[in-house]
Amino acid sequence: MATQKFGVRGPACLAAALTLSVAGTVTSFLVYHRAVDALSRARAEALRRLDALEEQRREASRRTDHVEYQRAHRQLLLAAMRDPALLPVLDTYEGALPPEVQKQYLYANALYVHALHGYRIGLLSRGELRGYVRVLFQSPTARAYWEATRHHRASLREGSEEAEIGRMTDELLEELDEADTDEWWVVGGAGD
């Protein structure tokens, strides 16, 4: 029985095998490169998400710290209003004030800071804060408090939110003083 020979042998067979091997290697390399690239993009996206979550956590922590600070401020003011012996500690007004007036000023401060805090945590818009301030300063005692603490606001950092709100309040009070109407609730518009 004779054996039949099929196909090409020798150098042509070797070239075909090498071509298939190189093609397989290149294909494997491309698949590997795409997989590594996809993993790198997924890792970068995961890191970006982690950074965003960490920033959200830091912001929530700052808000919580701010709320706690405001709560402590309120407690300190209440302690001074309850105990007249503590009032001299907070007497940073120019000129001597009777304890009753100091308590009224502390209360006016508490009302103002309450509105400012409501604005900072997003419960009041800037326009609503402006409206709250417009109502608060219809009181002659609140106006006297604001004037007595003018030098306190002069020490605020330029450009700070509190300094800007103080200037907004000063401008609104000036508008109210210069208005030629008794309808104070329409003076100064809604603001921002």
Side-chain angles (χ1 to χ4, degrees), residues 62-78 109-121 161-162:
R62 280 191 291 271
R63 283 193 305 268
T64 300
D65 291 347
H66 190 78
V67 167
E68 288 304 314
Y69 181 83
Q70 289 298 127
R71 185 173 289 130
H73 176 261
R74 185 176 57 248
Q75 293 304 317
L76 291 168
L77 288 178
L78 288 172
N109 173 263
L111 289 173
Y112 177 77
V113 169
H114 176 74
L116 182 62
H117 184 63
Y119 169 72
R120 284 182 174 153
I121 63 172
E161 182 179 56
E162 194 166 354

Side-chain angles (χ1 to χ4, degrees), residues 17-28:
L18 282 174
T19 301
L20 285 174
S21 177
V22 167
T25 301
V26 168
T27 302
S28 294

Side-chain angles (χ1 to χ4, degrees), residues 135-158:
V135 172
L136 173 64
F137 287 109
Q138 290 308 301
S139 161
T141 303
R143 285 279 191 112
Y145 148 76
W146 191 254
E147 189 56 40
T149 57
R150 183 171 298 284
H151 63 287
H152 296 175
R153 291 184 302 284
S155 67
L156 293 174
R157 183 177 45 84
E158 185 64 33

Side-chain angles (χ1 to χ4, degrees), residues 39-76:
L39 286 172
S40 294
R41 283 193 307 272
R43 181 177 184 272
E45 177 62 19
L47 288 173
R48 187 194 63 72
R49 286 181 183 166
L50 282 174
D51 287 346
L53 286 172
E54 180 58 23
E55 180 55 33
Q56 288 174 355
R57 187 202 60 76
R58 282 192 299 270
E59 181 59 31
S61 178
R62 280 191 291 271
R63 283 193 305 268
T64 300
D65 291 347
H66 190 78
V67 167
E68 288 304 314
Y69 181 83
Q70 289 298 127
R71 185 173 289 130
H73 176 261
R74 185 176 57 248
Q75 293 304 317
L76 291 168

